[in-house]
Every structure is written in C-alpha cells, then in structure tokens.
Amino acid sequence: MSARSGRARQYESSGQLPDQSGSPPIADSSETEAEGLIFYHMDLYGSKERFDIFPEEPSGQADRSRGNSRKEPVLSSEKIQHSQEAGYDLEKEVAELAKMYGLDEDKEKELELLGGHPQTVERRWPPAHTQKAGSQGSVYSASKSSSPVKDQSTKQQGLPGEASQDEDQSKARAEDDAESRTWSREGLSSGGMSDERSSQAVSEEEETADVFCSTCKMPIRAFDKLFGEHRDHEVAQLSNAVESEKEEIHKNMCKLEEQIAQIENFASHLEEIFITVEENFGRQEQNFEVHYNDAVQMLAQKYEEQLEALGEEKRQKLEALYGQLISCGEHLDTCKELTDTTQELYLENDKANFMKAAVTMVDRLEEFLRKEVDLELSTLPDFEERKIDFSEVEQLMNSINTIQAPCAPVINPQTPNAATGTSLRVCWGLFSDDTVECYQLCYKPVSNERHGDEQAEHMLKVKETYCTITNLLPNTQYEFWVSALNASGISPPSERAVYVTAPSPPIIKSKKIRSCENAALVCWESRDINPVDSYMVELSKLTDEENDDTITESIVGIPNCEVLIHLQPIQSYRICVRALNLGGSSESSEPVLIHTTGTYFCLNEDTAHPLLAILDDGFTIACDELENPECDLPVYDNSFTRCIGILGSLIPFPGKHYWEVEAEEDTEYRIGVAFENTPRHGYLGANNSSWCMRHIITPSRHKYEFLHSGMTPDIRITIPPTRIGVLLDYENYRLSFFNADIAQHLYTFNSHFQHYVHPCFALETPGILQIRTGIAAPPWTALP
C-alpha cells in the first residue's frame, strides 16, 4: 500500500482534511466539521469548473512523481459553502434520472445497486472523473474523512443516544476504511492493477448488470448509465431487452422454419419431378415404339398395294394381247379357207357348176373383205411408272417427337350459386397427363319442346379449366361440352352438361299487398317464361329509419307467388323477394314498405263500375254523372253494372280490422263489406252477401240505413257523420260503424261471416269518397 493511502486513512481517523501543502491539517471550524462529506451536481463534471475541483497532473509529471507522495487537492471553503447553499439532493437527482431513463419501476433495486439507502450512496459516491488518477482517489478518501467531523459536531451539540451513535460511527468508520481502500485500488488500476483483480472487477460488473445498452449491445449497470461512460447511450431495462431478443429470435426461428418448410416442399417437388421424368421417359419410349411400328406397317401396306396394282396391270395387258392374238388366228383361218375354195373353183371344168359356185364365192369374198382387220397393238408392253406416296409416312415419322392428342375432358355438373341471371361459371377437368394448350368450350340454349328450331352454337377458347359465360338469358338452360387442344390435334368432346342461369328478380305487386297489425299478404309475379323452383322473401324490420338499422329474416321454400307473413304490431318492415332455381338466387326485387299500424288494403279496379273513377292516390273514388248508370261503356266481367260501386281487396286475416271513409254531408253513398261472390248486377246491402251503411238525403232529413238482405233497422242519426269508421271483427262476428268525428257508435251487424270479406264502396250521387287505411283502431271502438 502506498504512502498516499496511508495518509488517507490517517486523515479519516482524525476527521480532518489535508491542506494543499500535504501537511496534516488542523481541525476546521465547527461549521465546517458539521457539514461532513460534500457532493457536487453532476452538471459540474461536464463543465470547466471540474478542473478546479479535481485538478489533473500532466502525464509527464505523474510519471516523475510515481512512487513518491503526491499532493492532494483540497476543496476550498468557498466552494463547499456554495454547494451547501445550493441544497443539492442526491436522492432526488437519482430519482429524476431513473425516471428519465425508465428505471423508476424498481427504485428499491436501483438504490440497492447504488448502496441500499441514500446515506450509503453518499459514502460510496465515486465521481467518474476521479477514477483516472491516484490523486483523485485520495480526494475521495479525504472527502470521506469529513464524516467523523460531522459526527463530532453532532456530539458537541448534545444529541441524545450518544452511546448508540458511537457504535454507529465505529461501524461507519470501518466501512469507510474498506471503501477508501477499494476506491484507491480502482484509482490506481490503470497503472498497477493485476490481471486477476481486473477479471474480478469485470465479473462483478457482469453480475450486477441490470440494464441493457442498446448502443453498445451489452448489459451494463444502472450506475454506469447514470454516471459512467454509457450515460449518453440509449438503454432499456434488462428484462425488456431479454423479451425483445427472445421475440427477435422467435421471429428468426419462424422464418427459419418457413425456409425449412419451403426447402422440404421443394425437395418433395424435386422427387415428384424425378418420378415424372421417369414416367415421361417410359411414355416417350413407348411412343417411339408405337410410331416406328406404325411406320413399318404403313410401308408394308404401301408395298402390298403397289405390288397388287402392278399385277393387275400385267393381267390386263396379257388379256388384251391374248384376245387380239385369237382374233388374228381366226382371221388367218378364214383367209386360208377362202383361198383353198377359190383354187378348187378354178379347177372346175363344168361351166354351169363353175358359175353357180363363182357367184357364191364372190359374195363371200366381198363380205370378208369389207370387214376391217385391227392390226395395231391393243396395249403397250411398258408399264405405268408408279410412285409411292410417303407423305403419310413422313407425317408419322415427324410426329414421333411430338405429343399425342389429348383425351376427352370431363365437364363438371353445375354447382349451387354458380350462376347469375345473365352469367354461368362452367368448370371441367382433364384426368390424364396429356399436354393441353387450350380448351374449346361450346354451348347452346337447350331447345324448347314448343319450339323445335335448332339453337345456334357458340364456341370459346380458354386456357383455364373454367370459364364464366356472360350475356345469357335469365332462368334459361344451356348445354355445354368441351374439348382439349394441343399441337397434335383436338380431343373428342366431353359429355354434355346442362346448366341453368339464375332467375330474374320478381316484381312485387304493391297495389295488391294487404296487411294488418300482425300479418301481411304479399303478392308478386315472375318475369321469366320458364318456371322457377321456389321463392325467398327477405324481411327487414326497420328499428331506426333515420340510420337505416335493420334486422333481417328470410322465409324460404315458397312455391307460389304470394305469402302470408306474420308480423309484429306497430312496426315498419322492408320486404324483398328473390326467385331461386338450380343456378342460384336472383337479385332482390324492388323493396316495398309495410307498416303494421292498422289494416291496409287496396281497391280492386276490375270490380269498379264504368262511371266510377279511381284517383291517382288509389284510395279516392269519384263519380261525375249518373244520367245513365246502365250505360254501354265497356265493363269487365267482374265489374258492377248497376250499383256504381267497387270492392276493395280481400281481408284474409283473422281479428279486428279498422278503416275510415270521408264524405261530404250532401254525398249519398253505401259503404260496408261483401263476399267475393256478391252479385255485380245488384245493389250493395240488397242481398245476403253484403252488409252496408247507406246515406241518402230526403227533403226532410239525412237518412241512414244499415242494409243486409234489403232489411234495415229504424235508426235516426242526428249529427251527420263526415268521417265514418268501420270496424270488422271476425272473431266476434261483428261489423260496426262509427261517427269518427265525435267517437259515436252508430250501428253493429252481428253476423257469422262464413268467408273472408271485401270492403265495398258505392256512390248514389255525384261525389267523392276518400278511404283511409293503415290506421289503428281508436280505443272508443271497443264495444262491450
């Protein structure tokens, strides 16, 4: 141990600071002794003032003075007093720095790292710049020696617990001595610390590392971040750094596993290619053999054909020459016979016999000489030059290195929802290893039984094994077949498959919709000629019309063009209809709105009298003239002919139904209900199939009749109603009339309705009736 360290311990035990001359100091004033160890703000270490606090010797002078005692710098009383007035709080500074660098989550751990508690931190405070020279380590030891001075000052002030304080001071002095020796060794480590001690220090740093320096990529102590060489570096908590590294390693492992999977897949693909090469070689070898055998067979066939033709030509030549030779022999025999006969005639002596034989002989000679003798060859000895046509053989030989024509593809049946109203998606497959350049898809509409005309075919060429055909007719069947093509030719066509397009959107008959508080009857019509499989109704309850929030339900499997839907009272619904077939679903129809606030029906125009007009709103009827009710205007089969009336649509819902009719006081009318089969040539209320309220004006008063089968009770109404309420109660077999203006009950029919009824309306004088539907029954309509 150097003399410098010995003096440091001596000063620590005496509780005094050395002066600049190096001689033992005299105890300072009580104020200085009370202040004890002084710490400076860390900003001071980065300023020029640090040279005043911790002066460094030049390297040459340090070398000359090595081994000798050195002068220890002493803090001036002015700077000590300035630090005391600044009121620097180490614990607060450490907390701020820890919070700045994210180390405040475990403050106890940081304090333990730095010494356990603020007092211990004060005793172990090593400024970073004091560790470069042995003299600075002495300054630290000297600063530490002021702690007993502070304790002595405390004793002089007469604080209680002196005995315990003495023990604590003894322990503190022992710890200070150990720490002083430690920092002295660290101060001299650059010049004389052994390798063994260096390795121990490094291991201690590694053991106490609790943060990770992102700049240096190494774990460090929190103390090094606060006051060491890493204080300007970016750091993270060691646990977070570990998690981050683990996550990065996990990502890399995932990438490595993906790469391994890709390589394994590629290796499997290479094995498949290896097997495919062997299979292709076998097929190509077999192809060579087949082609060469075909070529040899074709050459042998050509040889046989040419040899047979040559033999036939030889036979024909020989037959012609032999026939000509036979004819020549016959000619020569005739000539010789005539010559011999003529010579015998010359030897005849009897003149009479001579003349007889001469005349006959002359005739024979003249007849023979008149015959032409063919002395030209009928055929030439040369044969026709024959050439063998090797084009087919050459074509066969050239096709050895080409692929074969593909086999016929297999077209798939239609899958559900693979069609729209104007398009179809057709798929097929090729269950062979043949090479295909493209496919030829053909289609045509299926011929209708009623129209036997052959439909035009259409053809498309596609590369894929699927195709979407557009511009088709809705709900129409089409026939498809496909062939595969390559350089060698085209395959046979596949079997034909029938596809069908989706239907057209239905058209909802909004004027024929009927509804009440708990149900609705919706009717529609199909725009397709061909029938569909079924219909689907999409029901949306409007919960918020402004925001268009809906709750959607679907009713499927509807076979006809109407459906009765059960609804909830006092709600609004949006209804759409779709048509379905094997190809899929059509687009939605135009939506209609239904409000279940009351009974809704419409007027049946087919039942209206010719003089009765329905205005644009569809719920107001008018009549301008009544001169000839039985006029000759065109009428429908279902129209009223005598009563100027009209029927509303059928109300097919059980329960109560309410509607109102508005009329002027001077208008004569009939309103009520009637069966479907009520006579069209009679008046409403005059038969047993209708019930109505009649208003007529007599010279003395307004007369009201409640007619059924031509009968009416004697009832007088003093206040003429201009708004009549009608309540139909199927369950209680009632039909009631009210003066809705004053909530007055007028009359009630009690009748068992065997069938559902129609609302009915009629005018007996020119006027207007306005019908109001879809309104809830007022409370005063409830009868006891």
Side-chain angles (χ1 to χ4, degrees), residues 254-525:
C254 292
K255 293 180 180 179
L256 185 61
E257 290 176 358
E258 292 179 359
Q259 189 172 4
I260 292 173
Q262 292 178 357
I263 295 174
E264 289 178 351
N265 293 336
F266 182 70
S268 300
H269 181 64
L270 289 178
E271 293 177 359
E272 294 177 356
I273 296 299
F274 184 87
I275 297 174
T276 304
V277 169
E278 293 289 344
E279 293 176 351
N280 291 340
F281 171 76
R283 284 197 295 267
Q284 196 71 6
E285 183 181 14
Q286 185 179 3
N287 187 25
F288 285 161
E289 184 178 356
V290 170
H291 279 73
Y292 278 114
N293 291 337
D294 292 343
V296 172
Q297 184 177 359
M298 184 176 294
L299 289 174
Q301 183 179 358
K302 293 287 184 183
Y303 171 77
E304 293 294 336
E305 291 177 356
Q306 293 296 332
L307 186 61
E308 184 179 356
L310 186 62
E312 180 66 20
E313 184 178 1
K314 171 188 174 183
R315 184 184 63 77
Q316 292 176 358
K317 286 180 179 293
L318 293 177
E319 287 180 354
L321 292 173
Y322 180 75
Q324 195 172 12
L325 182 61
I326 295 298
S327 178
C328 290
E330 291 176 352
H331 230 75
L332 288 174
D333 292 342
T334 303
C335 289
K336 289 180 180 181
E337 191 267 331
L338 290 174
T339 301
D340 294 340
T341 304
T342 302
Q343 290 176 356
E344 290 177 357
L345 182 60
Y346 275 107
L347 297 177
E348 181 67 41
N349 295 325
D350 188 359
K351 293 181 179 180
N353 291 332
F354 177 79
M355 288 303 297
K356 291 180 181 180
V359 172
T360 304
M361 189 63 185
V362 170
D363 293 338
R364 286 184 63 189
L365 288 174
E366 289 179 355
E367 182 180 359
F368 177 76
L369 293 175
R370 282 198 299 267
K371 294 181 179 179
E372 294 181 1
V373 179
D374 186 8
L375 301 179
E376 295 181 1
L377 294 174
S378 60
T379 183
L380 297 175
D382 299 332
F383 284 84
E384 180 182 356
E385 184 178 357
R386 297 181 178 277
K387 295 182 179 180
I388 300 177
D389 185 11
F390 291 101
S391 61
E392 296 181 4
V393 179
E394 291 177 357
Q395 183 178 359
L396 182 62
M397 296 297 293
N398 292 332
S399 65
I400 292 178
N401 294 326
T402 60
I403 57 177
Q404 296 180 350
C407 300
V410 178
I411 195 165
N412 300 337
Q414 184 175 6
T415 57
N417 301 321
T420 65
T422 58
S423 66
L424 283 170
R425 181 181 175 86
V426 184
C427 302
W428 58 89
L430 187 67
F431 298 96
S432 65
D433 296 331
D434 298 334
T435 302
V436 177
E437 295 181 358
C438 65
Y439 295 93
Q440 180 176 291
L441 178 65
C442 301
Y443 67 96
K444 68 175 182 178
V446 176
S447 300
N448 196 332
E449 296 179 357
R450 294 175 295 179
H451 304 85
D453 299 338
E454 186 67 21
Q455 301 290 337
E457 295 184 2
H458 305 272
M459 189 267 291
L460 296 172
K461 286 189 176 182
V462 294
K463 294 288 187 180
E464 297 81 8
T465 57
Y466 59 89
C467 181
T468 300
I469 300 93
T470 57
N471 299 324
L472 303 178
L473 298 177
N475 199 31
T476 303
Q477 291 183 339
Y478 288 86
E479 194 175 26
F480 291 89
W481 63 97
V482 63
S483 300
L485 291 84
N486 60 16
S488 298
I490 185 172
S491 72
S494 66
E495 295 184 359
R496 302 198 174 194
V498 176
Y499 282 54
V500 60
T501 53
S504 302
I507 301 174
I508 298 179
K509 299 178 181 179
S510 57
K511 292 185 178 181
K512 292 188 176 182
I513 293 178
R514 287 151 282 175
S515 64
C516 63
E517 292 184 352
N518 53 17
L521 181 65
V522 183
C523 303
W524 61 87
E525 62 182 1

Side-chain angles (χ1 to χ4, degrees), residues 1-7 9 188:
M1 183 180 297
S2 64
R4 175 62 179 164
S5 300
R7 287 198 301 273
R9 288 197 301 273
L188 298 174

